[in-house]
Amino acid sequence: MNIGIASEKSGLPSKTIRYYEDIGLLSPARTGNGYRDYSMADVHRLRFLQRSRSLGFSVDECRELLSLYHDKDRESADVKAIAEAKLVEIDRKIAELVGLRDLLHHLVEYCQGDERPDCPIIDELSGEGMVL
Amino acid sequence: MNIGIASEKSGLPSKTIRYYEDIGLLSPARTGNGYRDYSMADVHRLRFLQRSRSLGFSVDECRELLSLYHDKDRESADVKAIAEAKLVEIDRKIAELVGLRDLLHHLVEYCQGDERPDCPIIDELSGEGMVL
DNA sequence: GGTAAGGCTTCCGGTTGATGGAAGGTCAAC
DNA sequence: GTTGACCTTCCATCAACCGGAAGCCTTACC
């Protein structure tokens, strides 16, 4: 199957699929004319990558998950550890963003948003604010 | 004042300060020996940048905020609009991450995390899961 | 047989926001 | 006079791709 079809089936752009091949995440067969030829197993692998990436795993983590996926003797604890680390990281990111939002929200509320030049947001950024 | 001092005073690494100059965010004077020579106004500008970036504004948004900062006739509404757009974006990012966390959390809870190979996380990623 | 469209190939460059390092000039102290 | 800290420029690298150019391959249509 050509890359266009693999792209449709996996939900990944062709560009991304070639990129994943470049960095060694898969190596499809080639037909006589030099076209890449994807098997169903390749597509499966691509979908795995698409799902993992959309769950926030980095490409390197995906690489690790893929090797665990193919390791029939894997221990589920190994997979769980990766997922839990990711969870902690996501929680940290959320907390950081919430803090950011609260601060920004506070500033926006205090800003009149009219035609006058007084602006607590600018004051804050310039170091003359009362919040930070 | 040399870049090292400006770095200390602004809280930005020297590398970053030079980078900001490269992309046209400031242009300090030079002394006879070719060293950059920062004024207090430069340092003020750098702190403004440091604060804006840490509030999640992109470099281009910082550029815009800086020009509003120096525009004595600015309307606070202009600044507020930028901040509000950023707020919406941050909220969207938070919602996305929360969704991600919930899903991942769900998977981690269902995973035994023992020495056996059965793993709902891998099942999910491989498309054999029950959640997605 | 010609040709036009669309899909495929490789390769190169750009994105964002810096960061690391090499090679070399400068300055202050001992 | 030489060490060490600081400064300069330039070039490369990171993640995870995306866009586009130049050039094959295949298929359809006349």
Side-chain angles (χ1 to χ4, degrees):
Chain A
M1 142 188 14
N2 279 353
I3 198 170
I5 311 295
S7 167
E8 268 177 42
K9 283 190 194 289
S10 65
L12 289 169
S14 307
K15 277 278 188 190
T16 303
I17 297 178
R18 288 196 199 96
Y19 170 68
Y20 285 171
E21 181 179 345
D22 272 2
I23 61 174
L25 288 178
L26 75 163
S27 42
R30 295 279 179 148
T31 55
N33 56 17
Y35 284 18
R36 288 170 178 83
D37 186 21
Y38 296 88
S39 65
M40 280 315 292
D42 289 324
V43 169
H44 206 79
R45 205 175 166 85
L46 287 171
R47 288 197 61 81
F48 187 100
L49 285 166
Q50 190 273 322
R51 285 163 193 271
S52 317
R53 288 287 300 126
S54 76
L55 269 176
F57 292 100
S58 74
V59 163
D60 268 357
E61 284 162 340
C62 289
R63 203 187 298 272
E64 202 172 350
L65 287 169
L66 264 179
S67 84
L68 286 170
Y69 173 50
H70 289 286
D71 177 6
K72 288 304 161 208
D73 296 332
R74 68 166 175 260
E75 299 182 4
S76 68
D78 294 341
V79 181
K80 190 170 184 172
I82 297 178
E84 276 175 339
K86 198 75 216 170
L87 210 45
V88 167
E89 195 183 319
I90 290 174
D91 275 336
R92 201 183 36 70
K93 229 177 251 177
I94 289 173
E96 190 183 326
L97 280 177
V98 167
L100 216 58
R101 183 196 48 190
D102 290 350
L103 177 52
L104 205 50
H105 186 73
H106 186 74
L107 289 174
V108 164
E109 279 210 326
Y110 271 76
C111 178
Q112 303 289 333
D114 54 21
E115 75 290 344
R116 286 174 302 170
D118 319 297
C119 179
I121 301 172
I122 286 285
D123 289 349
E124 185 61 45
L125 294 175
S126 71
E128 290 159 23
M130 328 248 247
V131 179
L132 283 178
Chain B
M1 141 188 15
N2 279 353
I3 197 169
I5 312 295
S7 166
E8 268 178 42
K9 284 190 192 288
S10 66
L12 288 169
S14 307
K15 275 278 187 193
T16 302
I17 297 178
R18 288 196 201 94
Y19 169 68
Y20 284 170
E21 182 181 345
D22 272 3
I23 60 174
L25 288 178
L26 75 164
S27 41
R30 297 279 180 149
T31 55
N33 56 16
Y35 284 19
R36 289 169 178 82
D37 185 22
Y38 296 88
S39 66
M40 280 315 292
D42 288 325
V43 170
H44 206 78
R45 204 175 168 85
L46 287 170
R47 290 195 60 80
F48 187 99
L49 284 167
Q50 191 273 323
R51 285 162 192 271
S52 317
R53 288 286 301 127
S54 77
L55 270 177
F57 292 98
S58 74
V59 164
D60 268 357
E61 285 162 340
C62 290
R63 202 187 299 271
E64 201 172 351
L65 287 169
L66 264 179
S67 83
L68 285 170
Y69 173 48
H70 288 286
D71 176 7
K72 289 302 162 209
D73 296 332
R74 70 169 173 258
E75 299 183 2
S76 68
D78 293 342
V79 181
K80 190 171 185 173
I82 296 178
E84 277 177 337
K86 197 73 217 169
L87 210 45
V88 167
E89 196 183 317
I90 291 174
D91 275 336
R92 199 182 37 68
K93 231 177 248 175
I94 290 173
E96 190 184 327
L97 280 178
V98 166
L100 215 58
R101 183 197 48 192
D102 290 350
L103 177 52
L104 205 51
H105 186 71
H106 186 75
L107 289 174
V108 164
E109 280 210 326
Y110 271 76
C111 179
Q112 303 289 332
D114 55 20
E115 74 290 343
R116 288 174 301 170
D118 318 297
C119 180
I121 301 172
I122 285 286
D123 289 349
E124 185 62 45
L125 294 175
S126 72
E128 290 161 21
M130 329 243 246
V131 179
L132 283 179

